[in-house]
Amino acid sequence: SGNLTGSFINNTATNDGGAIYTSDGITGNLNGSFISNTATNEGGAIYITSGGVTGNLNGYFINNTAKYNGGAISSRVKE
């Protein structure tokens, strides 16, 4: 939880979440740029497995890729 600010550029994940992988969700504000991040599965920039997003996503996503779902963001949150 809390605020996260910064640039995430050219990160690679061999599975999910090229720049950020979280099983706790995102609480607070996420301010940043996500550029050219890659995941070989899902969530080129961000992958969320539970908790969802409570707060603000501010910034931009450019040229993020994933093999299956969510070039920018993929969420597998179940209620």
Side-chain angles (χ1 to χ4, degrees), residues 4-79:
L4 180 60
T5 302
S7 297
F8 301 87
I9 302 170
N10 294 321
N11 297 290
T12 301
T14 57
N15 203 0
D16 301 314
I20 296 174
Y21 177 103
T22 179
S23 58
D24 294 326
I26 296 173
T27 58
N29 297 312
L30 179 59
N31 305 297
S33 53
F34 295 83
I35 303 168
S36 299
N37 298 290
T38 304
T40 57
N41 240 359
E42 299 186 39
I46 300 172
Y47 184 75
I48 304 167
T49 62
S50 66
V53 177
T54 55
N56 296 308
L57 285 171
N58 301 308
Y60 53 93
F61 296 83
I62 299 171
N63 197 38
N64 297 286
T65 58
K67 184 175 181 180
Y68 298 109
N69 298 309
I73 301 172
S74 182
S75 177
R76 293 290 177 187
V77 177
K78 296 179 183 177
E79 304 214 16

